[in-house]
Amino acid sequence: MVRILIVEDQKKTAQFIRKGLIEQGYAADVVADGREAESQAQTLDYDLIILDVMLPGQDGMQICRNLRRLKVHAPILMLTALTSTEDKVKGLDSGADDYLGKPFEFNELLARARALVRRHQGAKPKLRVGDLELDMAAHKASRDGQGIELTSREFALLEYLMTHAGQVVTRTMISEHVWDIHFDNESNVIDVYINFLRKKIDKGHKTQLLHTVVGSGYVLKEQ
C-alpha cells in the first residue's frame, strides 16, 4: 500500500489532494507545518511526501533540508506558486525530487506522484501466491487466469496481504498501511473488506488462500 504525507497549511487544498489520492487507492495523511511533518515522516515509512513551499514558520525548502538531514529518504514533490527557474533550482537543491507549480491539474500531480513512487519502490511488476496473481503495473488481479474485479481499496488490501504472504497481519497493521491515521480502529470496516476480498478471490476455488487466525488477524497463504 502506497502511503503519502501531504504537508499543506491551506486546509481546502490539503483536503482536495487527500481526497483525490484516497480515491486512487492511496493512504494519505495531512499535516500543516514543518514540525509535524518532520515528526510524522520519522514515525511512519512514507512512499512520497507532497510538500508546500509557503508554510508558517519554516518554509518548505528548509523543511526539505531538515528531512534529508534526518535521513528521511522518501521522494519529495514540492508544490508552490514560485515557478521561476531559480526557485525550481533552489527547491531541487534543498533535496526535493520534483517540483510542481500552483495552480495545478490533479491528473498531473497524480502522474508525477506515481512516477516518484515507482522510482522509490523499484519495479514490482507482479505479486503471486499460488494461482493468485496481482499485476501492479496494469492494476489487475486474477486467479487461475480468470480476472477479478477489485475496488481501489480491495486492491490495496490484497497488495498488502500478498506482500506479506505467509505472515499473520493484525487489524492494526492493516489499518496503518491500507487506511490512514484518521482511521477508526473500533470500526468493523477491515472485517467487512476482508469478507469482500475472500468472496472474490476464494469463492469457487478448492484451495482457500485467505485465512482468519482467531485472536491474531489474517494470513494469505496456500494450505
Side-chain angles (χ1 to χ4, degrees):
M1 177 62 177
V2 173
R3 194 179 193 96
I4 298 175
L5 177 64
I6 303 161
V7 188
E8 170 63 71
D9 67 318
Q10 298 296 317
K11 189 173 181 180
K12 187 174 180 180
T13 301
Q15 292 307 316
F16 165 73
I17 296 172
R18 179 175 180 268
K19 182 175 183 291
L21 291 173
I22 288 173
E23 286 174 351
Q24 294 297 314
Y26 299 113
D29 303 330
V30 175
V31 297
D33 61 49
R35 183 173 297 177
E36 281 187 279
E38 290 167 19
S39 174
Q40 194 81 351
Q42 290 180 88
T43 302
L44 294 172
D45 186 17
Y46 287 100
D47 298 289
L48 174 67
I49 298 171
I50 297 175
L51 175 63
D52 187 32
V53 169
M54 305 301 288
L55 292 166
Q58 300 181 83
D59 67 20
M61 293 187 189
Q62 184 59 53
I63 294 166
C64 188
R65 285 190 286 270
N66 291 346
L67 289 171
R68 294 313 187 208
R69 276 200 297 269
L70 292 166
K71 307 300 182 186
V72 174
H73 300 298
I76 295 175
L77 171 59
M78 278 192 168
L79 300 179
T80 182
L82 305 173
T83 56
S84 71
T85 299
E86 183 181 354
D87 291 319
K88 291 178 181 178
V89 170
K90 285 180 179 177
L92 295 171
D93 283 348
S94 70
D97 297 87
D98 200 358
Y99 201 100
L100 183 59
K102 291 181 176 180
F104 56 84
E105 293 289 335
F106 182 75
N107 283 343
E108 182 177 2
L109 174 109
L110 188 61
R112 289 172 181 257
R114 283 174 174 156
L116 288 172
V117 169
R118 280 198 304 269
R119 204 177 308 156
H120 177 62
Q121 292 184 332
K124 282 198 311 181
K126 293 180 181 179
L127 298 173
R128 182 182 289 276
V129 177
D131 58 356
L132 177 65
E133 183 176 276
L134 201 63
D135 188 326
M136 305 300 293
H139 209 76
K140 292 181 178 179
S142 62
R143 184 160 184 193
D144 195 24
Q146 299 297 311
I148 302 170
E149 292 294 327
L150 298 174
T151 65
S152 293
R153 188 67 67 186
E154 289 167 348
F155 188 94
L157 176 56
L158 183 57
E159 177 189 352
Y160 185 70
L161 291 167
M162 292 184 75
T163 301
H164 296 81
Q167 304 172 34
V168 176
V169 295
T170 66
R171 295 177 77 259
T172 300
M173 291 166 67
I174 292 172
S175 69
E176 288 177 350
H177 292 86
V178 180
W179 274 262
D180 56 38
I181 59 173
H182 305 285
F183 182 74
D184 179 7
N185 277 315
E186 300 301 317
S187 77
N188 69 339
V189 169
I190 290 174
D191 307 287
V192 170
Y193 270 86
I194 287 288
N195 287 331
F196 286 161
L197 200 54
R198 180 177 280 123
K199 289 177 182 177
K200 290 188 175 185
I201 68 172
D202 279 342
K203 188 176 181 180
H205 294 275
K206 184 177 179 180
T207 301
Q208 304 297 289
L209 298 177
L210 183 49
H211 309 276
T212 299
V213 181
V214 178
S216 297
Y218 307 97
V219 61
L220 190 75
K221 66 176 183 177
E222 291 186 272
Q223 288 181 317

